[in-house]
Amino acid sequence: MPGPARAGALIYARHLPQLAAFYQQLLGMQLLHGDAEHQVLANADFQLIVHAMPPHIAAKVHIDTPPQPRSEQAIKLFFTVPSLADAAQLAAAQGGALYRERYQGPGFTVCNGHDPEGNIFHLRENHAAQASQEPTCN
């Protein structure tokens, strides 16, 4: 993604390095640049800025282990991955999770999940990109 992105998202993180590493691994993103306050990640489709919560706000945020999904979010991001089965393993290894329930859309299968801080996201696997076996989510 050369130059400034035309679109993307910003997500606040209680634990910046952990959350940035989660999305970098799960979505195959590259770290474009970062510092103690933010990390800018990108792949061919999307730019994600992971921004550290201001300390006075972070001090009031408690994240359980394992994290409890934040089901009352106003926005749910979605991303396309090559394999939901592989994404489920990556998410679990990085402190997040994908949910078992899958939904069929026009030309894709979707699965919801949450990151290590409980933010819920939606992953899509295109049918054209699916291997011969059905994806499974944990």
Side-chain angles (χ1 to χ4, degrees):
M1 181 179 290
R6 292 178 44 87
L10 185 145
I11 187 167
Y12 283 99
R14 171 86 167 72
H15 302 289
L16 174 63
Q18 180 187 22
L19 199 61
F22 176 84
Y23 285 107
Q24 196 170 354
Q25 291 293 317
L26 182 68
L27 303 175
M29 300 185 105
Q30 298 296 317
L31 174 64
L32 298 182
H33 62 273
D35 55 31
E37 290 186 15
H38 70 285
Q39 292 191 17
V40 180
L41 309 174
N43 62 22
D45 299 318
F46 195 76
Q47 187 173 84
L48 180 65
I49 301 168
V50 184
H51 198 294
M53 289 179 184
H56 71 281
I57 294 173
K60 298 175 187 176
V61 174
H62 174 76
I63 298 171
D64 293 327
T65 303
Q68 295 300 308
R70 297 179 186 183
S71 60
E72 296 183 12
Q73 293 175 190
I75 294 176
K76 183 191 321 182
L77 301 176
F78 78 87
F79 306 95
T80 300
V81 295
S83 164
L84 289 174
D86 292 347
Q89 291 178 351
L90 285 168
Q94 295 290 321
L98 293 189
Y99 307 146
R100 289 188 185 278
E101 192 166 10
R102 293 182 308 220
Y103 307 93
Q104 298 302 311
F108 57 86
T109 301
V110 301
C111 186
N112 292 316
H114 67 267
D115 67 23
E117 297 198 0
N119 300 301
I120 297 174
F121 57 83
H122 175 101
L123 294 183
R124 294 181 177 186
E125 178 180 330
N126 290 334
H127 290 169
Q130 287 179 338
S132 59
Q133 78 181 63
E134 279 293 310
T136 57
C137 296
N138 293 332

